[in-house]
Amino acid sequence: MPDQDRVVMRTATVEERVDAIQAALDAKGYKTQEAVEDLSHKAQEEWIPRNGARMVARAWVDPEYRKRLLANGRDAALEMGFQMPKHHRHLVVLENAPNVQNVICCTLCSCTAFTLIGLPPDWYKDLQYRSRVVRESRTVLEEMGLKLAPDVEVRVWDTTADTRYMVLPERPAHTAGWTEEQLAAIVTRDSLIGVARL
Ligand SMILES: [Fe+2]
């Protein structure tokens, strides 16, 4: 076959595909650049674990708020001015106890209550975590640095599109007399997912 008839096939790079999709959407009048900037702003500045941490701290100092939080997490989040997308129809808040450790996962993909606990970390989306935490939760937690006594019951909760979870960790004993602000500062993302204790 003469050289000029050869067709060289090449797969487009991710960047080229993104540009092509963006150009197609822009041609239809969607403002893709603005949407991308808005989304990354929200992901970095607004959807942060600090929100969930503040809800936990409030629950630790205000027994009435704690009751409302456990009864209807979504309303309790909105009450503090935090947003949840419409399709996050339920926020179930899971209360830890000395002998109960709640852990969240999403076996199908990567769902979290991301406006409250932040976008999911890479390990949460990893097939290893998603498949193993439901079958050998105690071992997985130990590998992640959380060694639980044998009498602690581990409860694993599998997130769905419309039902999101957040763990309410136990308040550490050494924090008596702390302000809500001080308390919020010690609540970590991992403790809200349930793979760490405070
Ligand atoms: Fe998911």
Side-chain angles (χ1 to χ4, degrees):
M1 191 194 311
D3 263 3
Q4 63 268 30
D5 292 340
R6 276 204 192 126
V7 176
V8 179
M9 296 293 286
R10 176 175 80 81
T11 308
T13 64
V14 171
E15 289 76 12
E16 286 166 340
R17 280 179 265 173
V18 168
D19 287 346
I21 292 169
Q22 207 161 348
L25 290 171
D26 284 337
K28 285 184 182 291
Y30 294 103
K31 295 182 173 151
T32 54
Q33 194 55 39
E34 277 175 35
V36 167
E37 278 162 21
D38 180 50
L39 195 65
S40 45
H41 173 80
K42 285 191 167 113
Q44 283 162 31
E45 310 286 336
E46 294 178 28
W47 301 336
I48 48 175
R50 170 88 183 151
N51 300 340
R54 285 183 51 207
M55 291 165 68
V56 166
R58 175 72 52 88
W60 284 344
V61 299
D62 180 348
E64 289 305 313
Y65 182 77
R66 184 192 192 96
K67 274 188 214 162
R68 294 199 294 280
L69 181 66
L70 294 171
N72 186 330
R74 188 182 162 87
D75 283 354
L78 301 183
E79 175 190 325
M80 287 188 68
F82 302 130
Q83 307 293 318
M84 291 191 74
K86 262 206 185 108
H87 71 281
H88 293 193
R89 291 174 54 217
H90 309 284
L91 174 69
V92 180
V93 176
L94 310 159
E95 190 177 29
N96 277 353
N99 60 347
V100 175
Q101 178 66 32
N102 294 287
V103 186
I104 298 167
C105 69
C106 178
T107 54
L108 287 179
C109 46
S110 59
C111 302
T112 55
F114 57 80
T115 56
L116 307 174
I117 67 179
L119 290 176
D122 287 346
W123 55 259
Y124 184 92
K125 296 184 271 188
D126 195 292
L127 184 59
Q128 285 291 319
Y129 175 78
R130 286 155 46 205
S131 57
R132 290 181 64 223
V133 78
V134 290
R135 286 185 287 122
E136 39 179 351
S137 44
R138 205 170 283 274
T139 308
V140 170
L141 291 179
E142 195 167 334
E143 287 167 5
M144 296 180 81
L146 178 60
K147 185 161 172 51
L148 296 168
D151 64 332
V152 177
E153 181 193 345
V154 181
R155 297 180 187 161
V156 182
W157 302 78
D158 190 1
T159 310
T160 62
D162 64 2
T163 301
R164 311 284 163 143
Y165 298 101
M166 184 174 86
V167 174
L168 175 57
E170 283 185 282
R171 178 174 176 168
H174 69 274
T175 60
W178 286 25
T179 64
E180 199 176 317
E181 190 76 8
Q182 288 173 308
L183 291 167
I186 62 164
V187 179
T188 61
R189 179 199 65 195
D190 285 3
S191 73
L192 298 171
I193 297 177
V195 297
R197 288 189 149 195
L198 299 173

